[in-house]
Amino acid sequence: MIVGNAATITWTPQGEEDAWEVRYKKSADTEWSEPIVVREPKCTLAGLDGITSYDVQVRARCSAFSKSQWSEVCTFTSGLAMPFAIEFSKMSDLSGGGSS
């Protein structure tokens, strides 16, 4: 699920994992983030740049010393991350509104 400058990724556990590592990067970059360790099969990546392509990978940890290979790369595009405000006091200035 992608909402503005955050994306939540989920995956299906395969069996013996007790944690997972998630890493990501902008698709145009070569350096991956430091792995994020999570204990459930989902991770929210926050603070992403708006309308930017990202790559993400996951790997299982069955113990502190046993890890799977990184998954295939999954690519997504973050959403619009521009803050905005609506001044409701100016709503009566809009044309085409109904009257009561």
Side-chain angles (χ1 to χ4, degrees):
M1 177 172 62
I2 301 167
V3 178
N5 65 348
T8 299
I9 59 168
T10 60
W11 56 90
T12 303
Q14 300 299 302
E16 300 296 317
E17 312 93 331
D18 60 4
W20 295 267
E21 294 181 0
V22 178
R23 67 180 184 177
Y24 68 100
K25 68 178 183 72
K26 290 181 183 178
S27 295
D29 292 348
T30 56
E31 301 265 337
W32 290 92
S33 67
E34 287 295 316
I36 302 165
V37 178
V38 295
R39 301 246 178 245
E40 56 185 82
K42 73 176 184 177
C43 181
T44 298
L45 308 174
L48 304 174
D49 290 344
I51 310 177
T52 302
S53 182
Y54 284 90
D55 297 335
V56 65
Q57 289 183 306
V58 178
R59 72 176 171 188
R61 289 176 52 169
C62 296
S63 72
F65 307 104
S66 176
K67 300 175 185 176
S68 71
Q69 296 293 316
W70 286 105
S71 68
E72 292 184 24
V73 172
C74 177
T75 301
F76 67 91
T77 300
S78 58
L80 189 60
M82 285 179 53
F84 63 91
I86 298 172
E87 288 190 49
F88 289 100
S89 63
K90 299 200 184 237
M91 294 298 277
S92 62
D93 295 343
L94 298 175
S95 61
S99 61
S100 45

